[in-house]
Amino acid sequence: MSPELASAARLRAVEVSGDPRAVEGPLHGYHHETYVFPLPGETASPDPVRWKCREPRDNLLWFDRRCFVSEEQLLKALAGRISRIPDVFDVGTAGLQRFIEGRTLGSLYPFGGAVPEGIFDQIVVLFEQLARVTQETLTIDRRCADEDRPDDGDTNGFLRRLVHFTEKRVYEENLPKFERLFEDLGVDGRSFKWLRNHVAGLSQRPFCLLHADLHRENFVIDSRSRLWTIDWELAMVGDPLYDLATHLYLMRYPAWQEHRMVKRWRAAVDGIRPGSSKGLKRDLSLLIDYKKAQSVFTDVIREALSLDFGPDVEGRLDHAGRRLRTILVAAAVPLGLDMVPSRGEIVTALVRWRQQHGNAEVPGSQ
């Protein structure tokens, strides 16, 4: 790649490593362009420690609130408090994260399958360690507004602000391009009024640090079967039950293992901060309902933007229609949907949106 075409992330990786041949990347990832490399002098080592340099990809839609100024700053603050997270190496004014060598949990045990007991136990330990980290003991810079920092225990205020973010930043900011598509799928601004009423009345629980994105691709298993937790960008301080709800929603455990995780999580976090599981029986399902509703707005936009009317367009449209219908059915109750469009109706809506907003040929057009 010529210097004039190289990205800022690659140029920085080459500068820090001192050897363009030692730089690997860009690695697969949605939000960032990432390069991995050893530091100078380590290339000859049989097992060099590698670091990663990354930059946000251009023109991405961000669907989740960021609460800390810097992921690297957070990782440094958590060193010694949370087991097996990336080290941070300062180079000038920027921090590089250590690249964790291994395989993601999802590549080893895909969604819907059970997680081995040894890995399962390590996830429970992670929740226990998160419960020990409170707002008072985490004195690092935060970027979120004052209204996004509810008082300790104000779980209703915490969830209201997450719903507000989804409504304002995900739904309303994208209405100029996606309003007709949302309407064709049966969701509009009234859906958020229904959602707020549906999830109201949570029990109070003491706040702690949340990773807020604990899914199988954010866990890395190394050669010694140790679990590492990566991608802390969405971390926040808030309702501990929200972290469990997000984890269950994203992990897709089999039912028996999900039940075990709830039981083990409850014992772990209540043992650290009593009252952390208060109201679990009612509130966990409501928090998962919020995640289901949030998924409608984010995934409709992502599916529409990812449409490619090339070869096998019918197959891709069928897959998109089935996937979005599954998501809409799951969110029907929290969003107050009287009817969910059929797969065919969803495909028609997607094609209509593409005709209005895309440049590729639409199937069936002349």
Side-chain angles (χ1 to χ4, degrees):
M1 181 181 294
S2 62
E4 61 270 18
L5 295 178
S7 68
R10 180 173 178 82
L11 290 173
R12 180 163 177 77
V14 170
E15 177 187 8
V16 175
S17 70
D19 182 0
R21 296 168 300 177
V23 176
E24 178 185 345
L27 303 185
H28 173 74
Y30 177 76
H31 289 113
H32 294 91
E33 182 180 342
T34 303
Y35 296 88
V36 176
F37 53 90
L39 294 178
E42 292 192 12
T43 53
S45 170
D47 190 21
V49 173
R50 297 194 294 171
W51 303 82
K52 62 183 180 182
C53 180
R54 63 184 189 172
E55 293 286 341
R57 296 188 185 277
D58 293 333
N59 303 318
L60 274 183
L61 296 171
W62 294 86
F63 293 137
D64 298 282
R65 194 177 70 193
R66 268 77 179 149
C67 290
F68 293 105
V69 169
S70 163
E71 183 183 6
E72 286 72 29
Q73 188 182 101
L74 174 62
L75 288 171
K76 286 193 283 188
L78 295 179
R81 306 174 73 180
I82 303 292
S83 300
R84 291 185 291 281
I85 57 176
D87 298 324
V88 176
F89 178 75
D90 288 326
V91 178
T93 58
L96 301 176
Q97 289 187 38
R98 179 181 176 180
F99 179 70
I100 306 303
E101 307 285 354
R103 295 182 61 184
T104 65
L105 180 61
S107 70
L108 295 169
Y109 306 98
F111 293 96
V115 172
E117 194 69 14
I119 301 301
F120 187 90
D121 290 343
Q122 292 178 72
I123 296 174
V124 174
V125 170
L126 173 63
F127 278 124
E128 183 179 281
Q129 293 175 337
L130 286 165
R132 296 181 186 275
V133 183
T134 64
Q135 183 168 302
E136 295 74 25
T137 64
L138 192 62
T139 55
I140 62 173
D141 296 332
R142 296 172 69 180
R143 69 170 69 178
C144 51
D146 289 343
E147 55 265 33
D148 290 325
R149 306 182 194 183
D151 293 337
D152 184 28
D154 183 8
T155 53
N156 288 290
F158 171 79
L159 186 54
R160 277 198 303 270
R161 293 305 299 176
L162 291 177
V163 173
H164 177 83
F165 183 92
T166 302
E167 180 180 22
K168 299 300 180 182
R169 296 292 299 277
V170 181
Y171 174 70
E172 290 185 4
E173 285 192 9
N174 289 291
L175 278 180
K177 195 169 186 178
F178 293 98
E179 184 172 16
R180 174 64 186 276
L181 179 56
F182 281 130
E183 289 178 351
D184 285 345
L185 301 182
V187 294
D188 56 27
R190 293 170 296 181
S191 303
F192 288 95
K193 181 178 180 180
W194 189 281
L195 177 61
R196 287 188 177 89
N197 290 334
H198 179 75
V199 300
L202 300 180
S203 299
Q204 289 193 344
R205 288 175 285 273
F207 285 2
C208 66
L209 178 67
L210 320 177
H211 180 282
D213 200 24
L214 292 173
H215 57 74
R216 296 181 191 231
E217 295 305 310
N218 281 343
F219 290 127
V220 176
I221 311 301
D222 68 15
S223 60
R224 296 165 58 186
S225 297
R226 296 179 302 179
L227 179 138
W228 296 74
T229 308
I230 62 172
D231 286 358
W232 289 77
E233 278 192 307
L234 304 187
M236 64 181 82
V237 174
D239 181 359
L241 195 58
Y242 175 78
D243 221 9
L244 176 64
T246 301
H247 176 66
L248 297 180
Y249 179 73
L250 296 176
M251 284 288 287
R252 301 292 196 269
Y253 287 113
W256 66 268
Q257 196 165 45
E258 177 174 309
H259 178 75
R260 283 199 68 230
M261 176 54 73
V262 172
K263 185 176 180 180
R264 292 283 303 279
W265 176 91
R266 183 173 200 165
V269 299
D270 273 346
I272 303 301
R273 301 200 75 198
S276 294
S277 69
K278 183 179 179 182
L280 180 148
K281 185 174 181 179
R282 173 181 182 269
D283 292 359
L284 179 59
S285 62
L286 295 181
L287 290 165
I288 291 176
D289 278 351
Y290 163 69
K291 299 303 298 184
K292 293 176 180 177
Q294 179 193 38
S295 183
V296 167
F297 299 98
T298 60
D299 288 357
V300 164
I301 294 173
R302 284 178 175 147
E303 285 288 351
L305 292 176
S306 67
L307 286 176
D308 177 9
F309 287 95
D312 192 32
V313 60
E314 297 296 342
R316 281 193 296 276
L317 281 170
D318 181 70
H319 175 78
R322 292 180 187 281
R323 181 171 183 270
L324 288 183
R325 189 168 198 281
T326 298
I327 291 168
L328 285 162
V329 168
V333 172
L335 291 178
L337 305 182
D338 293 328
M339 294 182 61
V340 173
S342 67
R343 179 205 58 82
E345 290 170 330
I346 293 172
V347 168
T348 299
L350 288 171
V351 171
R352 182 186 298 118
W353 180 88
R354 182 69 178 200
Q355 287 174 323
Q356 295 173 340
H357 298 282
N359 297 319
E361 182 180 351
V362 176
S365 64
Q366 301 295 322

